[in-house]
Amino acid sequence: MGGFPILSLMLLVPLVGAIACLFLDARPARTVALVATLIDFVLGVVLWANYDIGGAQWQFTERTEIFAGFSYALGIDGIALMLIMLSVFLMPICIGAGWTSINKRVGEYMAAFLLMEMLMIGVFAAQDLFLFYIFFEAGLIPMYLIIGIWGGDNRIYASYKFFLYTLLGSVLMLIAMLWMVNETGTTDIPTLMVTDFAPAAQTWLWLAFFASFAVKMPMWPVHTWLPDAHVQAPTAGSVILAGVLLKMGGYGFIRFSLPMFPEASAQFAWLIYALSMVAVVVTSLIALVQNDMKKLIAYSSVAHMAIVTVGVFAFNTQGLEGSMIMMLSHGLVSGALFLAVGVIYDRLHTREIDRYGGLSINMPHYALFFLLFTMASIGLPGTSGFVAEFLSLAGIYQVSTWVALICTTGIILGAAYMLYLYRRVAFGEQKHADAAAMGDLTLREYLMMIPLALAVLWMGIYPESFLAPMRADIQALDARIARAAPESDSKPTPGKPQAAVHTVSEVGHGATPAAPEGVH
Amino acid sequence: MDFSHSLKLIAPEETLSIAGLVLLLVAAWAGDKAARAISIIAVAVLVGVSFLVAPALCSGAMGPDTVAFLGQYRADAFASFAKLLIYLAAATSLMIAPQFFDRFNAMRAEYPILVLFAALGMGIMVSATDLITLYIGLELNSLAAYVLAAFLRPDARSAEAGLKYFVLGALASGILLFGMSLTYGFTGTTNFAGINAAISGGLSHGALFGIVFMLAGLAFKISAVPFHMWTPDVYEGAPTPVTTFFATAPKVAALALTMRVAIDAFGSQSDAWRQIVIFASLASIVVGALGAIGQANIKRLMAYSSINNVGFMLIGLAAATMQGASAMLVYLAIYVAMSLGGFIAILMMKDGDGEPVEDIAQIAGLSRTRPGLSAALAMIMFSLAGIPPLFGFWGKFVVFQAAVEADLVALAAIGIAASVIGAFYYLKIVKVMYFDEPVDVIRGKSDWAHQFLLVVTALFISPLGYLLTKWLGGLADAAATALFLAA
């Protein structure tokens, strides 16, 4: 792709679309938004197709020195590529999710979403520390407006909580960034990724970055903004929040915390494990007793994100690959689940689980899709969730069997709350006449569900497509952090293979030196 | 140093004085009928003197060539940077005034003339390199400002604001004078460079008290905590165009003066005043943020916001480095744009009869009825909160960068964490405009001057502003270099 600035173009398309939407009426605004997101999706496909697996670590790089103090530098590696793909894939679906349910201030709504898309791509593509920060923080404004204007009854509380929580986390990171730049004299992320900071300084820097990413992630106990924000946000807002915004935290850990501060990461790995273990179990139990569908899925997101953090801080390739696949899979699955909630919310205008029941009778196709995504969330083999959970847990098992054990408990609890949710919504008798009268999926809803379902199955059956672009980057990262990797608690002793029970024909070779240990 | 060279250096001040005096005569003969014409001429004069001072900044003027009247006055790049901001802010406050005062039949010919004299005083303040020059400039500005605060004579609040401003301002001047006399007594000179040389060996207790009192007096002028109490009352009571003026030009002048005094006069003992500045800065950030939360009047809220912002700028001064000074100047430039934009938006909030609306509850749901105005105000609020990608973030960014470079990481961390408190009340304005149900009070039309200026300031603080970072940073660096060269 030579010098063609495709990343800038991907930023420009939604920006232009957003500005156009501000001045348009409802119908044209919807069309413009859909067209802009679809163009960006096509550009994303072009990006992926032209990404040279096994080529340079940073591809499609652009650099212009138009600002003082930092540069406009873009570029992606395989990790960023996958997350950008996730964003551009989910965006048209988000626009579709608000197609009919958003009736007031449509232009502003579409503009806010397109701005979000631009900022998310910017976060993943930024190669300059401060450019990253600007994109990272700027997302607060459109998200604040999306929750506050188009949210539910308690939207104002939720919007404040979302904004102030994430802002407080991020400003400390800014100070850490300023310190790093002052120390090294560069704002270039690839350079900083191979810079060794003094271990004492790493501790503070790591904590400052942790403050930001832990809130964004969100990790227990700073996760409380998430259920509020999710419940109050419109469907598409939830999809984008769960689908992409939460990934910024995980991306931050992988891009910054691990390679820039490996020693501190190892030092705090147990903090991460502890918080993640608590999160997996506690939030799963909380999810089990929720009566609000969105809240249930929101808490399940926290639990899944805890698996991501455990995988990231497992300090091995399986863990890292698992956490990346978990982020992609969770982006698709939780997005799809929020969408599934949105479908019935649009019909009955309630998220209360008790108000539904027996939907498999009157909405069989809907029930089928919902079942697929429920299974993917649980991690059934064949869906993306299985690959993600398997790899992450395999990664952490190599470090600590106990952490793996407790995290696996969370998976079982996950099966419990998801199946329980599905049973109450889709099975059982049709208690309420209005719920029983709801029609099945419309064409628009099919168009949103089918791509998600296909992607979930694709990632579950052939994850290599998604792992291949990231493999080299994850191995490079693993090599960089290997020196600090925490010791495994398993201490496996090499087993003593039993002497082979030789068949008669082999007796003649019995004394070959090929199996010396086998000889007792 | 010959006399004609000195006269050439003070050309902007001469122009302003002569223009002010001539216009005063015109006003005496022509009366209030000529108020609008005098305003236009005053704006033209301010724009004209801006062109007179700009070359010094662009060429980065510094060194002995910029000294006039045997070290009393300095027309270097630093002074020129501050003067440009002052003249710009003064001209804007003149342009937005007529429509506001016409409604009360109070557009008097004295208004533009007072603004001109205040600008003249502020120009002297930022160029002063001698305690006496400093005091003359400060008082010339203050006397004009007291009258301006009370300009809306039929309004009791305006009169109250003028009286409060005068009494407290006089007190502050007294404190400042006391500090100046101590400084003079213990150093034997009123010249900044002389003072700096005299205390470079060590600081006597008397001189230390001199520094403390002088900084206290200056803290009053920049409305830094704990000398901020007058700000909300004066901002609320003064007519809105005058508040616009107070929030911008005198702030620039007083901060530039504080920088000049701290660096040029007391620079060799920066450890002596750094703690004071750090305290004032953190206290201003916190008090400004907490005080604003409960405000129902948007002008009072902006007053607390200005206290909060002064706190951030003082972080740059606490660094006591060239980067710190440069960062302060960048912040000042952005802050002036944000304040101007904010107050213009407030001026544009009028009900059906054209009565100004200052109550925050009355702008509920403004985004439905006036999308453009509320979008601009929301941008200004997010920018004041320092949320990227708006330009307000850049001001905070450079200031904190300077603090980190000067090894004041703890100060930077506490300051930036406290800025989150401030974000809360800025968000409140956005929430009221965007999330609440419309009350549809704001119906008044605004004239083109307001709309035009609002669009200009909004564009400046939009992400497009980042394209100016190199240019602005370069100018601020030149100005800061000039400041430190004089030390």
Side-chain angles (χ1 to χ4, degrees):
Chain A
M1 289 298 285
F4 184 70
I6 186 167
L7 288 171
S8 291
L9 188 65
M10 287 180 78
L11 294 177
L12 194 65
V13 168
L15 180 66
V16 171
I19 294 170
C21 280
L22 277 180
F23 297 99
L24 289 175
D25 286 337
R27 281 189 69 82
R30 285 189 187 116
T31 318
V32 165
L34 188 65
V35 168
T37 51
L38 284 174
I39 292 176
D40 241 25
F41 177 61
V42 170
L43 286 172
V45 172
V46 172
L47 191 71
W48 194 359
N50 285 283
Y51 182 81
D52 179 16
I53 295 171
Q57 187 185 3
W58 302 100
Q59 303 186 15
F60 307 104
T61 49
E62 297 168 36
R63 177 173 287 273
T64 321
E65 308 290 339
I66 45 170
F67 307 117
F70 68 103
S71 32
Y72 176 78
L74 300 177
I76 53 165
D77 63 353
I79 296 171
L81 170 74
M82 282 297 115
L83 289 167
I84 289 178
M85 281 311 297
L86 178 68
S87 317
V88 294
F89 177 72
L90 284 177
M91 273 319 286
I93 297 173
C94 286
I95 300 293
W99 200 265
T100 51
S101 56
I102 301 294
N103 295 314
K104 58 171 185 176
R105 304 209 241 176
V106 179
E108 289 167 332
Y109 176 87
M110 296 297 169
F113 269 91
L114 289 172
L115 271 183
M116 281 302 302
E117 176 172 29
M118 178 218 162
L119 296 171
M120 288 179 314
I121 296 172
V123 164
F124 297 131
Q127 278 210 306
D128 184 285
L129 207 53
F130 296 126
L131 189 67
F132 167 83
Y133 184 82
I134 288 173
F135 281 128
F136 190 75
E137 279 295 277
L140 287 180
I141 298 175
M143 209 59 215
Y144 173 72
L145 296 176
I146 288 171
I147 298 174
I149 299 179
W150 296 279
D153 305 328
N154 203 11
R155 58 187 202 275
I156 290 165
Y157 172 74
S159 62
Y160 271 114
K161 202 167 175 180
F162 167 77
F163 195 102
L164 295 175
Y165 246 74
T166 37
L167 181 65
L168 182 63
S170 301
V171 290
L172 293 173
M173 179 171 80
L174 179 63
I175 296 293
M177 286 179 167
L178 289 169
W179 190 89
M180 285 160 65
V181 170
N182 186 35
E183 195 74 4
T184 60
T186 177
T187 57
D188 188 45
I189 289 177
T191 314
L192 286 166
M193 278 170 71
V194 292
T195 306
D196 295 315
F197 292 97
Q202 281 190 23
T203 307
W204 293 108
L205 296 173
W206 191 92
L207 283 173
F209 277 77
F210 174 73
S212 174
F213 297 145
V215 173
K216 272 262 157 83
M217 191 88 196
M219 292 179 72
W220 186 88
V222 283
H223 66 283
T224 54
W225 63 268
L226 182 75
D228 286 318
H230 264 314
V231 171
Q232 302 304 332
T235 302
S238 297
V239 173
I240 213 68
L241 196 59
V244 190
L245 276 184
L246 298 191
K247 275 68 211 172
M248 290 183 185
Y251 176 76
F253 279 129
I254 291 180
R255 177 66 77 236
F256 297 93
S257 299
L258 277 186
M260 293 182 191
F261 326 119
E263 275 81 19
S265 297
Q267 188 188 340
F268 287 109
W270 273 98
L271 173 72
I272 298 274
Y273 298 158
L275 294 179
S276 304
M277 285 188 290
V278 173
V280 167
V281 176
V282 169
T283 52
S284 297
L285 289 174
I286 296 174
L288 207 49
V289 296
Q290 289 307 317
N291 203 18
D292 181 314
M293 282 190 277
K294 269 185 147 181
K295 228 171 193 165
L296 191 150
I297 300 167
Y299 277 110
S300 91
S301 291
V302 181
H304 280 108
M305 287 296 113
I307 305 281
V308 172
T309 46
V310 160
V312 168
F313 284 87
F315 281 78
N316 51 43
T317 37
Q318 271 106 328
L320 286 167
E321 285 181 348
S323 59
M324 276 308 300
I325 293 286
M326 179 57 114
M327 285 202 264
L328 299 175
S329 158
H330 176 265
L332 297 174
V333 173
S334 70
L337 285 172
F338 278 119
L339 213 54
V341 173
V343 166
I344 49 177
Y345 179 81
D346 286 346
R347 288 169 173 66
L348 211 57
H349 294 285
T350 175
R351 295 181 302 263
E352 220 177 304
I353 297 173
D354 292 343
R355 292 280 291 106
Y356 298 95
L359 291 188
S360 56
I361 298 168
N362 56 324
M363 301 175 74
H365 293 129
Y366 168 78
L368 184 68
F369 279 112
F370 193 17
L371 183 66
L372 172 69
F373 297 128
T374 303
M375 289 306 160
S377 175
I378 296 169
L380 199 75
T383 62
S384 58
F386 173 72
V387 182
E389 286 174 358
F390 181 81
L391 280 173
S392 308
L393 293 172
I396 192 61
Y397 185 80
Q398 296 171 35
V399 178
S400 168
T401 40
W402 280 107
V403 177
L405 178 69
I406 292 178
C407 290
T408 316
T409 320
I411 311 273
I412 296 167
L413 287 171
Y417 61 72
M418 285 312 295
L419 289 174
Y420 186 43
L421 168 72
Y422 190 75
R423 194 200 75 77
R424 285 183 289 172
V425 172
F427 295 152
E429 35 180 313
Q430 294 179 310
K431 286 174 287 188
H432 304 281
D434 49 357
M438 298 194 305
D440 211 341
L441 297 177
T442 63
L443 178 65
R444 177 179 64 87
E445 289 158 350
Y446 271 117
L447 287 178
M448 295 190 298
M449 290 287 193
I450 289 172
L452 281 168
L454 290 179
V456 165
L457 289 173
W458 182 12
M459 202 184 285
I461 293 166
Y462 194 66
E464 178 61 17
S465 316
F466 303 90
L467 282 170
M470 300 191 290
R471 183 156 291 132
D473 301 302
I474 285 177
Q475 273 163 1
L477 177 60
D478 188 48
R480 163 122 182 106
I481 59 177
R483 62 166 197 244
E487 221 177 304
S488 166
D489 70 343
S490 314
K491 309 226 175 14
T493 43
K496 291 184 174 174
Q498 293 285 314
V501 181
H502 301 296
T503 53
V504 179
S505 68
E506 279 178 314
V507 169
H509 307 283
T512 47
E517 315 122 55
V519 181
H520 291 268
Chain B
M1 196 59 56
D2 62 309
F3 209 62
S4 65
H5 181 68
S6 296
L7 285 177
K8 219 156 84 189
L9 283 175
I10 62 161
E13 278 71 31
E14 287 159 10
T15 318
L16 275 179
S17 333
I18 293 168
L21 291 171
V22 169
L23 288 177
L24 195 58
L25 284 175
V26 173
W29 297 111
D32 291 340
K33 292 190 296 297
R36 220 168 244 269
I38 293 175
S39 279
I40 293 169
I41 297 170
V43 170
V45 168
L46 284 167
V47 172
V49 289
S50 302
F51 282 106
L52 279 180
V53 296
L57 178 61
C58 296
S59 64
M62 57 187 82
D65 282 349
T66 59
V67 179
F69 300 115
L70 305 169
Q72 301 262 347
Y73 178 98
R74 196 179 268 275
D76 55 5
F78 175 77
S80 158
F81 191 101
K83 278 182 204 175
L84 276 178
L85 285 180
I86 291 166
Y87 297 154
L88 189 83
T92 311
S93 336
L94 282 179
M95 283 193 265
I96 58 176
Q99 207 207 5
F100 178 87
F101 285 119
D102 279 349
R103 204 191 126 60
F104 303 97
N105 257 335
M107 186 58 206
R108 301 188 170 276
E110 290 89 350
Y111 178 77
I113 296 163
L114 284 167
V115 170
L116 276 189
F117 280 124
L120 169 65
M122 290 185 279
I124 297 175
M125 277 162 79
V126 297
S127 278
T129 48
D130 190 285
L131 294 179
I132 305 299
T133 328
L134 178 167
Y135 194 72
I136 291 173
L138 190 71
E139 284 307 290
L140 182 54
N141 164 44
S142 299
L143 283 174
Y146 302 144
V147 183
L148 282 173
F151 204 72
L152 209 54
R153 277 182 296 179
D155 185 2
R157 285 193 311 168
S158 178
E160 182 194 324
L163 190 64
K164 270 186 181 155
Y165 197 20
F166 174 68
V167 172
L168 291 171
L171 180 70
S173 295
I175 295 172
L176 184 69
L177 267 183
F178 183 54
M180 280 162 56
S181 66
L182 280 172
T183 309
Y184 171 64
F186 282 87
T187 59
T189 173
T190 56
N191 185 274
F192 286 1
I195 295 171
N196 204 12
I199 60 169
S200 61
L203 202 58
S204 65
H205 283 294
L208 179 63
F209 272 91
I211 293 179
V212 171
F213 277 100
M214 278 188 70
L215 284 181
L218 291 170
F220 185 93
K221 296 289 174 194
I222 58 174
S223 68
V225 175
F227 304 98
H228 64 286
M229 281 81 91
W230 58 276
T231 324
D233 289 342
V234 172
Y235 275 38
E236 184 193 2
T240 310
V242 175
T243 314
T244 316
F245 182 64
F246 284 172
T248 51
K251 207 124 245 176
V252 175
L255 265 165
L257 176 65
T258 311
M259 286 163 81
R260 180 86 87 178
V261 169
I263 304 294
D264 284 6
F266 303 131
S268 54
Q269 293 289 343
S270 57
D271 288 337
W273 51 260
R274 181 175 282 137
Q275 295 164 21
I276 305 175
V277 173
I278 288 178
F279 169 78
S281 131
L282 287 181
S284 302
I285 293 173
V286 173
V287 171
L290 292 178
I293 289 175
Q295 300 306 324
N297 181 299
I298 194 161
K299 278 164 78 181
R300 281 187 88 84
L301 186 129
M302 288 298 282
Y304 279 103
S305 155
S306 85
I307 297 170
N308 182 257
N309 275 292
V310 161
F312 287 116
M313 286 184 251
L314 287 179
I315 286 183
L317 184 61
T321 57
M322 206 124 81
Q323 285 84 2
S326 162
M328 279 178 84
L329 291 173
V330 171
Y331 197 126
L332 263 176
I334 299 171
Y335 170 75
V336 164
M338 293 191 294
S339 293
L340 286 176
F343 280 107
I344 293 168
I346 292 171
L347 269 177
M348 287 170 71
M349 299 191 312
K350 285 174 290 191
D351 65 13
D353 304 328
E355 192 75 26
V357 174
E358 293 171 9
D359 191 7
I360 293 173
Q362 306 273 322
I363 60 168
L366 190 65
S367 65
R368 301 296 167 93
T369 47
R370 302 286 295 273
L373 175 61
S374 42
L377 191 55
M379 264 173 70
I380 289 161
M381 288 297 147
F382 279 125
S383 184
L384 279 168
I387 309 292
L390 297 166
F391 206 28
F393 167 72
W394 187 248
K396 290 204 169 62
F397 177 86
V398 286
V399 164
F400 285 116
Q401 189 167 37
V404 170
E405 279 173 9
D407 266 341
L408 296 171
V409 181
L411 172 68
I414 298 171
I416 205 161
S419 77
V420 177
I421 312 173
F424 178 76
Y425 64 86
Y426 296 123
L427 282 185
K428 190 173 90 173
I429 303 279
V430 178
K431 174 229 152 199
V432 169
M433 287 192 304
Y434 277 84
F435 303 169
D436 289 355
E437 286 307 309
V439 292
D440 201 16
V441 172
I442 312 291
R443 286 152 173 231
K445 290 264 172 289
S446 304
D447 70 356
W448 64 271
H450 290 176
Q451 289 170 2
F452 171 75
L453 288 169
L454 187 64
V455 168
V456 169
T457 50
L459 279 180
F460 182 75
I461 63 157
S462 77
L464 293 177
Y466 283 86
L467 297 174
L468 303 174
T469 48
K470 274 197 166 169
W471 175 74
L472 193 61
L475 293 183
D477 281 344
T481 314
L483 177 70
F484 273 81
L485 192 78

